[in-house]
Amino acid sequence: MDNNAAAIKALELYKNNAKLCDPHPSKKGASSAFPENSAKGAHNFSACSNGKMNHKDLQPAREDFRDLNFLTEEKVYEILGLCSESEDYSPLIRVIGRVFSSAESLVQSFRKAKQHTKEELKSLQAKDEDKDEDEKETASGSSTAMEVEPEASASSGDGLSHGENNVQKFDPVEVSVDIEAVRRVYDRLLSNEKIEAAFLNALVYLSPNVECDLTYHNVYATDPNYLNVFIIVMENSNLHSPEYLEIALPQFCKAMSKLPLPALAKLAWLWSQYGTDQIRRLIETFQQLITYTVISNEFSSENLVNEDDGVVAATKCLKIVYYANVLGGDLDTGHNEEEDDEPIPESSELTLQELLGEERRNKKGPRVDPLETELGIRASDCRKPLIPFEEFINEPLNDVLEMDKDYTFFKVETESKFSFMTCPFILNPVTKNLGLYYDNRIRMYSERRITALYSLVQGQQLNPYLRLKVRRDHVIDDALVRLEMIAMENPADLKKQLYVEFEGEQGVDEGGVSKEFFQLVVEEIFNPDIGMFTYDESTKLFWFNPSSFENEGQFTLIGIVLGLAIYNNCILDVHFPMVVYRKLMGKKGTFRDLADSHPVLYQSLKDLQEYEGNVEEDMMITFQISQTDLFGNPLMYDLKEGGDKIPVTNENRKDFVALYAEYMLNKTVEKQFKAFRRGFHMVTNESPLKYLFRPEEIELLICGSRNLDFLALEESTEYDGGYNKDCRIIKDFWETVHSFGQEQKRLFLQFTTGTDRAPVGGLGKLKMIIAKNGPDSDRLPTSHTCFNVLLLPEYSTIEKLRERLLKAITYAKGFGML
């Protein structure tokens, strides 16, 4: 054809929407970082590029495809077809080995085909050289190298529906690799064992080079398309198989962990767009590697799991999936509690610490994960992740982790050593609680040491403990006065070890007296007669009383008590809805939080939202609501200015529901909750509590577990004074305890340990001791609640044992607790 005939033919094809051949893969695959391969690519695909691709043209390349330096889906199928005809797959194996072992080749492979945008349709009508120039601009450049036109997002199905503040920064449609094409290729090829081995061998060669590129050459900064290497490799569904776990996957994880922060964030955003099955596959891949490595090695205090490069790298990679799981879940990035207006007063001891060269670490509170900051989200922003958070916990790793060493790395050797506390999602609550325990104890010892230095330098009276002397009949008043004085004068004293003394009673506080103190304070403060909290009979939960007569100091006290309980490792019998713990972690209450705090109101508002009729005409409600005060008097409140004149309609009912929830959960109790939170933060502001725990874990930490497994308690109990598990009296004892009802079991726990709740991890973590307390007698059993020790006389019969034990646990309060 001459030029005019070709132009006419082109227009006819365009008018009929003729199917196009692969559009210039040489240009689509080329990257500015690897210009030397562009010419080769153009040569390899010349037959395809000029629109005259046929078997005759492909004959010269049929032998070994030696000049092929990157792949497209079409090229893979073409080679696979030729190999199937000859029943010789060696050419394809060689191509896969060459492409998948080279980062440069992978970066250029499986690029997205350009979408039919308005701009492209115009360019198709322009001159060929103009079109070529446009494509060169798209294939090159640094920041624009991975961009796809906005219209493309609709067809790719990768549109972002959450985290609106961050969409512009990390829009996954910027990624240039065609993920669906990669998946189809893997599906076709991995069924062939010989070809599958080629992927494995290629990955072994690829990983060290990629690690070197990222560590020393900063390749991602020069070419963001380098991320394609990790996207393509992680689509291999066989990565968790035993063949990869030995060498290939650990090396690749090490390389991935070297990615710079922006690349990690981008990868998290991309993976967050995957479905639940894909996210679970990624989790299982990294978890399989961690578990396999942990089980295959003998880790100990001499051979720390923290020093195993494979486990550390896989954990860092799992962190990317963790944040992808958060981003892909049900996000609530708004509704954050405002920070306290007044900073918590700093201790005057800082001056002395600075003089001694011991400036307080993390003065402004615990650290924040850099990836969390980069993404602009927190784990607490996620209402419901794609995959439950529990699936990220690796129990074999928790079993071998030396938490004292790990905590040291977390606090001191943060640069040279890896701490799993920087990846708290992989730790179970028991392990995290142990890390928190070390942090609290070290802080207590630090405060004690500073106090001793003060007494030497300034001649002050030595007071290394937080001493509370209270009268049993005035426990709230005495505690409130003392704690208020401490909070005003020197809040650092709250971080000293608690030491409680009941006036007129003997007993050294080794933990048990503190437990009883907490129990009495909680009983008093949550007494409905006092009016600080309201009690819901249907939910068995307490909520702040907006009409309370108590001053803010009382609410600050209960906040301090909750903080002190965590700080001193005591469990409290408090019953708050989950929204309280979310608010303590910095999130405001929203409509969905009403479900457990105000269930009747929640159901009413839910019915309003789902009502199919005409809301305005049928319900006749406005943006003014009515509440009842402490004396039963109605109080009117406008949710909007002039709310009594604004009717609720089908269009604005969601706004009404949101404002109603905001009023009930945040505005009405703002004064009380701020005082409560302030007291809590006085004790925990420097603790890694917020960094390590999610709101539901905070509840477990404060309240313990309600699940009482006495069989686990029996398994973990130790014996002293001549008793062992095979003694008649011990067998009678457990038979008796197992026969108790639920309430009697709680009384027994209260009597023996000072609390009727199981600690984090269940009763198996309690380590109770049963010690012999003389021969048969009429004496009641006694206990050292500080040490969870039950002193049990050797009663002659099981009936006598039951009668004496029941009497002891029923009438124990106020005496007999040492």
Side-chain angles (χ1 to χ4, degrees):
M1 290 183 184
D2 59 23
N3 289 344
N4 291 333
I8 292 167
K9 184 66 176 173
L11 288 171
E12 285 176 357
L13 290 169
Y14 171 63
K15 184 179 178 182
N16 296 327
N17 289 324
K19 187 176 180 182
L20 301 179
C21 66
D22 195 359
H24 292 266
S26 59
K27 290 163 187 165
K28 293 298 291 179
S31 167
S32 59
F34 309 102
E36 68 275 13
N37 289 323
S38 300
K40 293 179 185 176
H43 172 71
N44 290 329
F45 287 95
S46 58
C48 177
S49 301
N50 62 24
K52 299 178 182 177
M53 184 175 70
N54 56 49
H55 280 291
K56 188 176 179 182
D57 293 318
L58 290 168
Q59 286 299 330
R62 184 178 283 194
E63 294 175 10
D64 58 6
F65 302 94
R66 190 171 296 166
D67 294 333
L68 188 59
N69 289 313
F70 61 91
L71 288 170
T72 63
E73 183 180 11
E74 293 76 13
K75 196 66 183 175
V76 170
Y77 296 157
E78 174 198 321
I79 301 171
L80 184 63
L82 294 171
C83 291
S84 298
E85 287 176 17
S86 62
E87 296 184 355
D88 176 15
Y89 290 92
S90 55
L92 180 57
I93 289 170
R94 282 195 291 272
V95 168
I96 287 172
R98 186 165 64 250
V99 172
F100 276 78
S101 63
S102 162
E104 290 87 346
S105 299
L106 269 184
V107 165
Q108 299 174 70
S109 298
F110 305 108
R111 292 296 186 90
K112 276 182 180 175
K114 195 167 183 178
Q115 304 296 319
H116 294 283
T117 65
K118 292 177 183 178
E119 291 80 4
E120 185 172 82
L121 293 178
K122 288 177 184 176
S123 72
L124 283 170
Q125 297 173 25
K127 293 180 181 179
D128 283 348
E129 53 267 28
D130 292 337
K131 183 177 74 173
D132 289 350
E133 198 62 34
D134 289 341
E135 288 184 348
K136 282 176 188 172
E137 287 176 11
T138 305
S140 62
S142 56
S143 61
T144 58
M146 301 175 76
E147 288 181 358
V148 175
E149 288 80 350
E151 289 88 347
S153 64
S155 60
S156 65
D158 284 343
L160 208 58
S161 60
H162 47 250
E164 293 178 6
N165 297 335
N166 303 302
V167 173
Q168 296 303 316
K169 192 173 181 184
F170 297 113
D171 196 333
V173 297
E174 290 178 8
V175 177
S176 61
V177 65
D178 187 343
I179 297 167
E180 290 301 325
V182 173
R183 288 174 184 167
R184 289 191 294 268
V185 167
Y186 274 125
D187 285 343
R188 287 281 293 272
L189 300 185
L190 287 177
S191 55
N192 185 310
E193 286 185 16
K194 291 179 181 177
I195 298 175
E196 203 270 347
F199 285 115
L200 173 64
N201 294 330
L203 189 58
V204 173
Y205 284 104
L206 171 74
S207 300
N209 295 329
V210 170
E211 186 180 354
C212 181
D213 283 349
L214 290 168
T215 307
Y216 302 110
H217 300 166
N218 198 19
V219 288
Y220 180 78
T222 56
D223 181 21
N225 283 320
Y226 201 84
L227 199 62
N228 291 6
V229 173
F230 300 94
I231 297 167
I232 292 170
V233 171
M234 288 309 300
E235 287 303 320
N236 184 339
S237 57
N238 281 4
L239 284 178
H240 63 276
S241 61
E243 296 82 11
Y244 285 87
L245 295 177
E246 195 73 44
I247 299 171
L249 189 56
Q251 287 188 347
F252 186 72
C253 286
K254 280 172 67 178
M256 191 188 296
S257 67
K258 303 291 184 186
L259 279 168
L261 202 56
L264 296 174
K266 191 164 192 175
L267 201 51
W269 269 109
L270 171 72
W271 284 346
S272 73
Q273 304 305 303
Y274 288 9
T276 305
D277 291 341
Q278 294 292 342
I279 294 277
R280 182 170 272 112
R281 179 181 61 78
L282 291 169
I283 295 170
E284 288 172 355
T285 298
F286 297 125
Q287 289 281 37
Q288 192 93 335
L289 174 56
I290 295 167
T291 303
Y292 172 80
T293 311
V294 167
I295 292 174
S296 304
N297 293 276
E298 292 185 9
F299 293 109
S300 64
S301 55
E302 285 76 35
N303 179 28
L304 294 173
V305 68
N306 303 65
E307 294 170 355
D308 187 289
D309 291 343
V311 174
V312 168
T315 303
K316 289 178 178 178
C317 295
L318 188 61
K319 182 189 280 190
I320 310 170
V321 189
Y322 174 76
Y323 281 111
N325 186 49
V326 168
L327 288 164
D330 185 359
L331 271 186
D332 174 20
T333 50
H335 306 106
N336 294 323
E337 286 277 0
E338 295 174 14
E339 294 297 323
D340 291 329
D341 298 332
E342 308 170 37
I344 292 168
E346 296 224 346
S347 164
S348 58
E349 290 172 6
L350 277 177
T351 313
L352 179 63
Q353 281 181 295
E354 286 163 358
L355 287 170
L356 296 168
E358 294 191 357
E359 188 167 353
R360 192 184 297 261
R361 275 182 172 274
N362 293 331
K363 195 162 59 179
K364 294 180 181 176
R367 68 180 77 193
V368 179
D369 192 288
L371 185 53
E372 197 171 88
T373 306
E374 184 76 13
L375 290 166
I377 54 104
R378 296 176 295 178
S380 58
D381 292 335
C382 187
R383 289 286 189 162
K384 186 179 179 185
L386 289 174
I387 307 290
F389 287 126
E390 288 74 24
E391 294 196 25
F392 285 87
I393 296 171
N394 189 290
E395 292 295 348
L397 173 67
N398 281 264
D399 291 341
V400 300
L401 186 59
E402 299 286 338
M403 204 58 200
D404 54 342
K405 304 278 198 317
D406 193 84
Y407 174 76
T408 307
F409 299 156
F410 179 72
K411 294 298 286 186
V412 184
E413 301 179 63
T414 50
E415 298 299 322
S416 58
K417 300 282 189 179
F418 176 79
S419 166
F420 287 96
M421 284 178 72
T422 59
C423 299
F425 56 84
I426 204 169
L427 304 177
N428 60 36
V430 176
T431 307
K432 287 193 274 193
N433 191 34
L434 192 56
L436 187 65
Y437 174 79
Y438 286 132
D439 188 79
N440 294 342
R441 289 290 151 180
I442 288 170
R443 208 173 296 279
M444 287 175 187
Y445 296 144
S446 172
E447 295 295 343
R448 199 180 301 172
R449 185 161 154 263
I450 292 295
T451 304
L453 288 168
Y454 246 105
S455 66
L456 290 172
V457 175
Q458 297 187 355
Q460 291 184 356
Q461 184 181 355
L462 183 63
N463 186 15
Y465 297 99
L466 170 58
R467 289 185 179 274
L468 292 180
K469 189 171 184 178
V470 294
R471 294 166 292 173
R472 190 175 286 276
D473 295 337
H474 300 82
V475 64
I476 292 290
D477 295 337
D478 293 352
L480 180 63
V481 170
R482 178 77 180 118
L483 289 173
E484 271 189 327
M485 284 176 61
I486 292 167
M488 288 168 60
E489 293 174 6
N490 196 4
D493 281 357
L494 293 171
K495 297 180 176 68
K496 293 177 180 176
Q497 187 172 348
L498 182 64
Y499 191 96
V500 176
E501 182 183 342
F502 285 107
E503 196 171 275
E505 296 183 25
Q506 292 183 342
V508 177
D509 188 6
E510 292 288 346
V513 181
S514 297
K515 289 178 187 176
E516 190 179 7
F517 163 75
F518 281 125
Q519 176 195 339
L520 293 172
V521 168
V522 166
E523 281 181 7
E524 186 77 19
I525 280 183
F526 286 93
N527 186 338
D529 295 340
I530 288 183
M532 287 181 69
F533 295 92
T534 58
Y535 182 67
D536 189 322
E537 281 291 346
S538 62
T539 61
K540 310 291 185 193
L541 297 173
F542 288 92
W543 182 247
F544 296 86
N545 184 358
S547 310
S548 173
F549 290 130
E550 301 297 331
N551 59 33
E552 291 180 28
Q554 297 273 36
F555 287 97
T556 302
L557 169 65
I558 191 62
I560 290 174
V561 167
L562 252 68
L564 286 174
I566 291 177
Y567 198 59
N568 290 273
N569 213 31
C570 288
I571 293 170
L572 300 181
D573 185 21
V574 296
H575 305 272
F576 281 131
M578 185 55 65
V579 65
V580 170
Y581 303 103
R582 284 181 57 79
K583 282 166 75 71
L584 281 176
M585 294 293 102
K587 300 298 293 183
K588 282 187 176 180
T590 61
F591 165 64
R592 66 181 74 191
D593 291 308
L594 290 171
D596 62 336
S597 64
H598 300 76
V600 176
L601 175 61
Y602 172 79
Q603 191 57 49
S604 300
L605 293 175
K606 190 166 181 281
D607 292 342
L608 171 65
Q609 279 191 326
E610 296 170 356
Y611 186 67
E612 294 181 358
N614 188 311
V615 171
E616 184 178 358
E617 292 180 5
D618 298 349
M619 298 195 178
M620 298 172 64
I621 49 179
T622 65
F623 275 77
Q624 185 182 68
I625 59 174
S626 172
Q627 292 292 301
T628 308
D629 69 7
L630 205 58
F631 304 104
N633 300 319
L635 298 172
M636 307 308 289
Y637 176 78
D638 288 348
L639 296 176
K640 286 184 176 181
E641 192 175 339
D644 58 329
K645 297 186 173 57
I646 305 174
V648 176
T649 64
N650 291 51
E651 290 71 31
N652 66 15
R653 58 183 167 181
K654 283 191 176 179
D655 193 22
F656 173 78
V657 167
L659 289 170
Y660 204 141
E662 166 72 12
Y663 172 74
M664 291 298 297
L665 296 175
N666 304 313
K667 287 189 176 177
T668 57
V669 297
E670 185 174 14
K671 185 176 68 171
Q672 293 89 336
F673 184 80
K674 272 193 172 180
F676 170 75
R677 185 180 63 190
R678 183 172 172 75
F680 184 77
H681 285 170
M682 277 181 183
V683 187
T684 62
N685 64 324
E686 293 179 357
S687 163
L689 181 76
K690 199 170 179 177
Y691 180 84
L692 292 175
F693 294 91
R694 300 190 307 276
E696 58 270 24
E697 293 175 323
I698 297 283
E699 182 189 30
L700 185 64
L701 208 59
I702 294 172
C703 307
S705 171
R706 299 178 190 186
N707 181 27
L708 302 181
D709 183 0
F710 272 73
L711 290 173
L713 179 63
E714 182 180 355
E715 285 291 319
S716 64
T717 297
E718 297 175 2
Y719 305 95
D720 197 10
Y723 284 157
N724 61 60
K725 65 178 182 179
D726 297 319
C727 290
R728 177 198 58 80
I729 181 76
I730 296 302
K731 289 181 177 178
D732 288 349
F733 169 80
W734 286 114
E735 184 182 336
T736 302
V737 169
H738 290 314
S739 70
F740 283 170
Q742 200 67 15
E743 188 56 38
Q744 290 171 327
K745 285 181 177 178
R746 290 192 182 282
L747 286 172
F748 170 76
L749 274 183
Q750 182 77 57
F751 175 77
T752 314
T753 68
T755 176
D756 65 354
R757 296 291 187 93
V760 176
L763 288 179
K765 301 293 180 184
L766 199 56
K767 297 289 182 264
M768 189 174 79
I769 298 171
I770 300 177
K772 189 172 182 178
N773 193 23
D776 181 30
S777 71
D778 289 336
R779 292 179 62 195
L780 294 173
T782 51
S783 65
H784 295 290
T785 51
C786 316
F787 309 109
N788 303 332
V789 176
L790 177 67
L791 301 173
L792 188 68
E794 194 170 4
Y795 298 115
S796 55
T797 65
I798 190 171
E799 291 78 19
K800 187 173 183 180
L801 167 66
R802 182 182 179 86
E803 186 267 329
R804 297 279 87 187
L805 185 58
L806 276 174
K807 184 169 283 187
I809 65 178
T810 307
Y811 303 104
K813 286 190 179 179
F815 65 92
M817 296 179 74
L818 304 179

